[in-house]
Amino acid sequence: MPYFITKTERDDLFVEGFLAGAPPDRYTQKGQYWGLPIFDWEHKYEENLAYLLKRLHRAFSLFDVVRLDHFCGLAAVWAIPAKYKSGKKGDWLKVPGERILTKIRQKFPDKILIAEDLGIITPEVTELRKKFGLLGTKVMVFGARKVKKDEVLYSSTHDTMGMGKIREFRDVRELGERSGAKIFIIPMWDILGLGKGFRFNRPGRKGGNWQWRIDKIEK
């Protein structure tokens, strides 16, 4: 959740000399360099926890369900030395995820949390998710059709091309309804049957992302 604190605001909260990203995976062979600060849980646990709980409180005041992106970051963060600008070079920095999620569940015992557990997922991450009752993530565009009761199925995600031009929306909806997923999520670009030209985000690319909007829908 570092997106809403800049390094200049509270420099003391972050690990010095490292920035966050992701190693090479199925999304990009180059990995991802985000340039985001990494919370220093070892030395600033209480301050960082208070901030995280505040962010979640705000999110749940707006939405019924909240997704924790890059859920593996609650087990370990891909820490890239500040001198590099690529996700290829880095190392995993341990995060006290069990302590953090214990506090989250104490504060929000009945709230629905989705774990974006995509990419490089270790048994430790899966165990952490299940222990605290978070829903896992599966994606139809990657071939997922049947999922478990503790998983959410997406037709596609912000990081992928949509199902448009592959299947009609009606077929996508029927597949989702038969999947067994606790929750089935269809992004608007799949509802409208749009192709890759309407892609929302390209991992690892700096510009042109997160700009997709619907201005008006004609009846």
Side-chain angles (χ1 to χ4, degrees):
M1 306 281 287
Y3 298 91
F4 301 94
I5 292 182
T6 67
K7 197 165 175 53
T8 56
E9 289 175 15
R10 286 297 305 274
D11 189 61
D12 60 304
L13 296 181
F14 306 117
V15 177
E16 186 176 355
F18 292 88
L19 297 170
D25 59 15
R26 70 189 303 171
Y27 300 107
T28 169
Q29 295 180 350
K30 297 180 180 179
Q32 299 181 51
Y33 170 78
W34 303 326
L36 295 171
I38 298 172
F39 284 136
D40 187 350
W41 291 105
E42 182 179 359
H43 301 103
K44 295 290 183 177
Y45 174 82
E46 293 297 338
E47 294 96 322
N48 288 333
L49 179 66
Y51 172 72
L52 177 58
L53 294 176
K54 182 178 180 180
R55 287 289 305 134
L56 285 172
H57 182 270
R58 175 60 175 164
F60 279 123
S61 74
L62 298 172
F63 309 108
D64 296 319
V65 179
V66 172
R67 182 179 72 189
L68 298 181
D69 280 5
H70 302 283
F71 179 74
C72 64
L74 285 175
V77 173
W78 188 246
I80 302 170
K83 64 180 180 180
Y84 296 118
K85 304 297 180 183
S86 166
K88 288 185 176 181
K89 294 188 177 183
D91 203 358
W92 291 109
L93 182 66
K94 286 289 185 180
V95 174
E98 189 163 335
R99 289 179 66 194
I100 295 168
L101 285 166
T102 295
K103 293 295 185 180
I104 289 175
R105 276 306 183 204
Q106 288 174 354
K107 184 75 172 178
F108 309 102
D110 302 318
K111 296 296 186 180
I112 299 175
L113 284 164
I114 298 174
E116 189 203 22
D117 53 349
L118 301 173
I120 298 175
I121 300 300
T122 64
E124 179 186 9
V125 174
T126 301
E127 181 180 346
L128 194 63
R129 175 182 71 79
K130 293 189 173 193
K131 181 173 182 177
F132 292 95
L134 279 73
L135 301 175
T137 298
K138 290 291 184 291
V139 184
M140 191 180 289
V141 79
F142 292 152
R145 294 295 183 267
K146 296 293 184 181
V147 301
K148 298 177 182 177
K149 292 183 178 180
D150 66 343
E151 293 175 328
V152 171
L153 178 64
Y154 288 77
S155 58
S156 61
T157 77
H158 60 286
D159 279 339
T160 71
M161 291 187 294
M163 294 290 285
K165 312 306 179 185
I166 300 174
R167 289 181 178 270
E168 295 294 330
F169 166 65
R170 181 172 58 186
D171 296 333
V172 173
R173 183 185 63 191
E174 290 177 354
L175 285 170
E177 290 172 347
R178 296 198 303 266
S179 69
K182 187 176 182 68
I183 299 175
F184 177 45
I185 297 175
I186 311 177
M188 185 58 72
W189 47 83
D190 284 339
I191 292 176
L192 297 176
L194 302 176
K196 65 180 182 179
F198 292 85
R199 188 167 180 168
F200 193 62
N201 181 59
R202 292 180 184 273
R205 191 178 73 176
K206 288 184 177 182
N209 296 320
W210 302 97
Q211 297 177 356
W212 199 92
R213 296 290 187 274
I214 295 178
D215 294 325
K216 185 178 181 181
I217 298 179
E218 297 290 346
K219 292 185 179 180

